[in-house]
Amino acid sequence: MHTPSRPEDLEHPELLWARAVTMAMVDTACSTSTEFALDDDGLWCHSTGGDGWWRLTLVDEGHAVFCGQDPDGSHTHVDGEQIDFLAGGPDWLPWDLLRDDAAGNLFGFVYWWENGAWHRIPYPDEVREDGLDGAAAWVGADEEEFLGLTVSSFDAPWARQRSLTDAVARFAALARERKADAGAVAALLAAAHTEGRPAPRLDAALDLATRAGILS
């Protein structure tokens, strides 16, 4: 990933959505205090460490928005003023939501997808880093790195890591094609279950996956 990040660092929105939902589903099923949330504004991760955050919004078939901030890595003030991440943004952006974010000084990066590519404002020369890699390293990760990040969310012994990685890879491939079903979710969580530990919550995982639209 470039420093500061560039539009070409982000994968296609459908791939990002499948990855994000897979991570959120796993965390929701395995954690009693998940940092992920899915609502009408998109899929959020409310804490990526040090109060960092990101949100992915699929606006419609040809448009998406990815935004967030890494408080330690987003160096996006020039002469003491936050740069305007929304300058020149297209009309279809969810402006009310984004203006609220901007008013709260919550941005380290804002990318939007249209005409088959990601875009952002031109950064001033003074911007050394926007924090994308710190807040959401998975957006530019290769498949192996993404699988490792997801598997780490399971409370599973080291001996299970290989089989879990394979299970996540199978599910993620189905999710990308919107061909996952309840059986695929159950199979993924079953691969993570370790005797003597609480079983992942299948109902919570199915609810999120269904609302996210990745189940066939």
Side-chain angles (χ1 to χ4, degrees):
M1 189 175 290
H2 295 91
T3 304
S5 58
R6 301 175 187 172
E8 58 265 32
D9 290 328
L10 283 75
E11 298 281 1
H12 190 282
E14 288 292 337
L15 175 59
L16 294 188
W17 187 256
R19 284 184 169 185
V21 172
T22 299
M23 293 188 299
M25 191 188 72
V26 167
D27 195 67
T28 298
C30 297
S31 174
T32 57
S33 57
T34 182
E35 297 293 344
F36 290 90
L38 177 65
D39 60 23
D40 292 341
D41 295 324
L43 181 59
W44 305 62
C45 184
H46 291 287
S47 178
T48 60
D51 294 325
W53 72 284
W54 56 258
R55 182 180 64 240
L56 176 60
T57 305
L58 300 185
V59 178
D60 56 36
E61 186 174 346
H63 300 104
V65 182
F66 189 76
C67 58
Q69 184 184 60
D70 174 18
D72 294 325
S74 296
H75 303 289
T76 52
H77 285 69
V78 176
D79 295 329
E81 296 291 331
Q82 175 73 289
I83 62 175
D84 183 1
F85 288 95
L86 306 178
D91 293 342
W92 58 263
L93 289 177
W95 281 101
D96 289 344
L97 175 65
L98 294 174
R99 286 185 178 117
D100 283 347
D101 294 331
N105 198 26
L106 296 178
F107 285 145
F109 50 87
V110 178
Y111 290 85
W112 57 87
W113 174 272
E114 67 175 351
N115 299 324
W118 287 103
H119 306 268
R120 64 159 168 76
I121 65 166
Y123 286 165
D125 292 340
E126 293 87 345
V127 174
R128 297 181 292 107
E129 177 58 273
D130 62 3
L132 176 65
D133 190 42
W138 58 273
V139 305
D142 61 27
E143 188 70 5
E144 183 177 352
E145 291 170 327
F146 163 70
L147 294 175
L149 288 169
T150 305
V151 168
S152 67
S153 296
F154 287 113
D155 182 20
W158 176 253
R160 301 284 299 281
Q161 298 297 299
R162 184 66 262 170
S163 61
L164 261 179
T165 299
D166 292 342
V168 173
R170 287 192 296 271
F171 182 85
L174 291 172
R176 284 196 296 272
E177 299 298 323
R178 307 262 177 151
K179 293 181 178 178
D181 57 17
V185 176
L188 173 59
L189 298 187
H193 184 41
T194 301
E195 188 173 351
R197 299 185 183 182
R201 296 183 299 130
L202 178 59
D203 57 341
L206 285 173
D207 174 69
L208 189 144
T210 298
R211 290 188 293 113
I214 66 167
L215 299 187
S216 58

